[in-house]
């Protein structure tokens, strides 16, 4: 079993590397944000520098068939620039054997979009809407069978496999998980994956205490599994943002027109009861900035969170709440933040989220470990200029969310087992 690339000797070896080059392109097929390409460079450069060659594979968008709009040829130039060598291109990821065989040490080949093939995801395509259950089953079995050949072909190009695509680590796809079985002693995480895995472990496995989770965002329903997993692990659970109002209402508070989910009140009460039983300190908002419409210029008014006016909607955390939360944050040694504590997209309701970003930066400076991951809080810290002032900002929204739900990610398991 091989896990981390620092322990591997790449001299004369061909490495097939799954990266996440799913970058945004404009209508002229120009890359508008190349962060994902740049984040994969340390891994790719290491293999080349040690005298290996790389076969790079990725998906781009969600094509349902071969579609030039989603071709990775649009990004070859930028990948070459970043890598510092001219990158060759294979126009069909399943017909690249000759090009892979011809690669010399220090050379790189980029395969065409893996998702041009249904086999990458292992899900049937083109099924009629009125297909019967039996037809669906048969189509699924067929694509699963041909998936084996698809993966075997990819594996035949290389001597070793590196997964550096955290963004798709929660998917059991051909290139993210299944391919690993062809490299029982030559499979490993790239640097980006390694960083993400260590960040998750720093919070969920080896946290220095007190450990605090700040969970915000819009809905309890999308974070239920996160809350249920964390309530058994953390010392403090700060629940903010739109989802906080369901908890306030569950305890008999008046929340005016604030976002809430009545059907989740029993779950909210269960989470609060579990927290009490386990001695976890739950901190809800005590004071709210409310608006009269979901609009930046709507009139604003501060209310006690359990007594919001009938015509008002809670849209941000107010100073008394933020003071409470700051105390908790400053007393913590490990902090996980997922989800904004207000409607941060509207500048007049972004103050709470900005304050949390500042508090996390200060806590980090004082020696706490701070991880921002899994959703809009990543966009918030990046946009607000705090990304390099916290310990780690995750690159994988869905993957990080599933990790903090306590799930085992197939892309990680495939390397570890
Ligand atoms: P999520 O994707 O679940 O992390 O939710 C992020 C979204 O929650 C952002 O778009 C925020 O605008 C939204 N949000 C945060 N606080 C509130 C609130 N009080 N009312 C409505 N939406 C909110």
């Amino acid at each position: 079993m091989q896990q981390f690339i620092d322990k591997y000797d790449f001299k004369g070896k061909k490495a097939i590397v799954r990266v996440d080059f799913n970058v945004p392109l404009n209508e002229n097929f120009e890359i508008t944000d190349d962060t994902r390409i740049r984040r994969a460079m340390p891994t790719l450069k290491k293999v080349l520098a040690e005298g290996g060659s790389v076969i790079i594979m990725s998906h781009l968008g969600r094509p349902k068939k071969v579609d030039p709009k989603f071709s990775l040829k649009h990004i070859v130039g930028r990948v070459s620039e970043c890598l510092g060598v001219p990158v060759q291109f294979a126009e069909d990821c399943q017909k690249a054997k000759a090009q892979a065989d011809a690669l010399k040490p220090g050379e790189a080949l980029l395969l065409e979009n893996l998702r041009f093939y249904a086999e990458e995801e292992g899900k049937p395509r083109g099924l009629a809407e009125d297909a019967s259950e039996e037809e669906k089953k048969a189509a699924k079995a067929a694509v699963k069978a041909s998936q084996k050949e698809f993966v075997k072909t990819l594996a035949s190009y290389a001597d070793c496999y590196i997964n550096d695509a955290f963004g798709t680590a929660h998917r059991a796809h051909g290139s993210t998980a299944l391919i690993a079985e062809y490299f029982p002693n030559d499979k490993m995480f790239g640097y980006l994956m390694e960083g993400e895995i260590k960040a998750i472990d720093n919070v969920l496995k080896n946290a220095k205490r007190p450990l605090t989770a700040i969970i915000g965002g819009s809905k309890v329903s999308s974070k239920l599994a996160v809350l249920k997993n964390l309530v058994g692990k953390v010392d403090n659970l700060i629940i903010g943002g739109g989802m906080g109002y369901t908890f306030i209402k569950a305890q008999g508070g008046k929340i005016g027109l604030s976002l809430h989910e009545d059907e989740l009140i029993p779950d909210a009460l269960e989470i609060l009861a579990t927290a009490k039983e386990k001695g976890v300190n739950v901190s809800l908002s005590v004071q709210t900035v409310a608006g009269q419409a979901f609009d930046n210029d709507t009139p604003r008014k501060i209310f006690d969170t359990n007594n919001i006016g009938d015509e008002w909607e809670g849209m941000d955390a107010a100073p008394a709440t933020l003071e409470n939360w700051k105390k908790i944050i400053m007393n913590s040694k490990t902090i996980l933040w997922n989800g904004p504590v207000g409607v941060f997209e509207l500048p007049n309701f972004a103050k709470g989220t900005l304050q949390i970003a500042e508090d996390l930066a200060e806590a980090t400076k004082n020696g706490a470990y701070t991880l921002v991951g899994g959703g809009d809080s990543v966009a918030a810290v990046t946009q607000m200029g705090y990304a390099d002032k916290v310990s780690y900002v995750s690159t994988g929204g869905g993957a990080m969310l599933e990790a903090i739900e306590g799930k085992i990610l197939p892309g990680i398991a495939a390397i570890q087992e």
Side-chain angles (χ1 to χ4, degrees), residues 331-346:
N331 279 322
S332 302
K333 294 241 162 58
T334 308
I335 304 148
L336 165 68
W337 182 20
N338 171 286
V341 299
V343 186
F344 78 101
E345 298 91 336
L346 305 177

Side-chain angles (χ1 to χ4, degrees), residues 63-348:
K64 291 291 167 232
K65 57 180 171 42
V66 176
D67 181 344
K69 269 207 312 269
F70 296 105
S71 173
L72 282 167
K73 71 173 183 236
H74 303 304
I75 71 164
V76 178
R78 183 66 63 89
V79 179
S80 302
E81 268 167 41
C82 292
L83 202 51
V85 298
V87 172
Q88 302 165 41
F89 186 63
E91 287 178 12
D92 183 335
C93 71
Q94 288 289 284
K95 295 190 180 129
K97 180 80 173 126
Q99 280 171 287
D101 284 350
L103 280 180
K104 295 194 194 65
E107 291 186 344
L109 172 68
L110 174 66
L111 304 184
E112 180 58 289
N113 196 342
L114 296 162
R115 289 197 191 165
F116 282 177
Y117 283 86
E119 284 79 3
E120 164 62 358
E121 294 175 282
K123 283 195 212 127
R125 287 180 182 165
L127 261 176
E129 274 191 17
D130 58 353
S132 67
E133 279 312 308
E134 267 179 21
E135 282 168 325
K136 282 186 197 160
K137 246 188 180 170
K140 203 169 172 197
V143 77
K144 286 280 173 205
S146 54
Q147 190 179 39
K148 291 203 171 73
E149 278 309 306
F150 174 84
V151 173
K152 199 170 160 193
T153 299
L154 294 175
S156 74
Y157 301 159
D159 305 302
C160 59
Y161 167 64
I162 303 175
N163 189 351
D164 211 17
F166 183 71
T168 46
H170 55 319
R171 308 279 182 227
H173 291 170
S175 68
T176 61
L178 306 186
I179 191 171
E181 84 176 73
Y182 291 91
F183 302 95
N185 301 311
D186 302 275
K187 54 182 181 176
M188 62 215 105
F189 299 117
Y191 286 125
L192 180 59
M193 278 287 263
E194 187 177 332
E196 298 277 355
I197 291 167
K198 288 189 172 155
I200 296 166
D201 285 352
N202 282 345
V203 172
L204 295 182
K205 281 198 188 145
N206 323 312
K208 290 206 184 107
R209 304 248 163 199
L211 164 61
T212 295
I214 307 164
I215 307 298
S218 53
K219 292 186 171 172
V220 180
S221 49
S222 63
K223 302 276 169 80
L224 196 58
V226 169
L227 291 167
K228 286 192 170 168
N229 183 42
L230 291 178
V231 77
K233 295 196 157 64
V234 299
D235 302 299
N236 302 295
L237 182 59
I238 293 175
I239 303 178
M243 55 189 270
Y245 300 104
T246 300
F247 285 83
I248 304 285
K249 186 168 182 196
Q251 292 182 309
K254 256 179 80 219
I255 57 166
L257 300 176
S258 307
L259 194 69
H260 64 283
E261 293 164 288
D262 283 332
E263 64 286 10
L264 284 163
I265 285 182
D267 292 286
L269 289 172
E270 192 189 315
I271 289 163
L272 293 172
T274 310
K276 200 167 175 198
E277 196 183 296
K278 301 207 167 186
V280 173
N281 169 39
V282 175
S283 182
L284 299 174
S285 158
V286 293
Q287 196 187 46
T288 284
V289 182
Q292 286 191 311
F294 204 79
D295 182 79
N296 191 46
D297 300 319
T298 188
R300 275 168 281 153
K301 195 170 167 187
I302 291 185
F303 291 94
D304 287 344
T305 307
N306 59 14
N307 200 12
I308 298 176
D310 289 345
E311 306 292 314
W312 294 81
E313 173 178 358
M315 286 167 69
D316 197 10
T321 300
L322 293 167
E323 256 172 55
N324 287 347
W325 290 348
K326 182 168 184 148
K327 275 187 212 135
I328 296 172
I329 292 170
M330 291 312 154
N331 279 322
S332 302
K333 294 241 162 58
T334 308
I335 304 148
L336 165 68
W337 182 20
N338 171 286
V341 299
V343 186
F344 78 101
E345 298 91 336
L346 305 177
N348 285 337

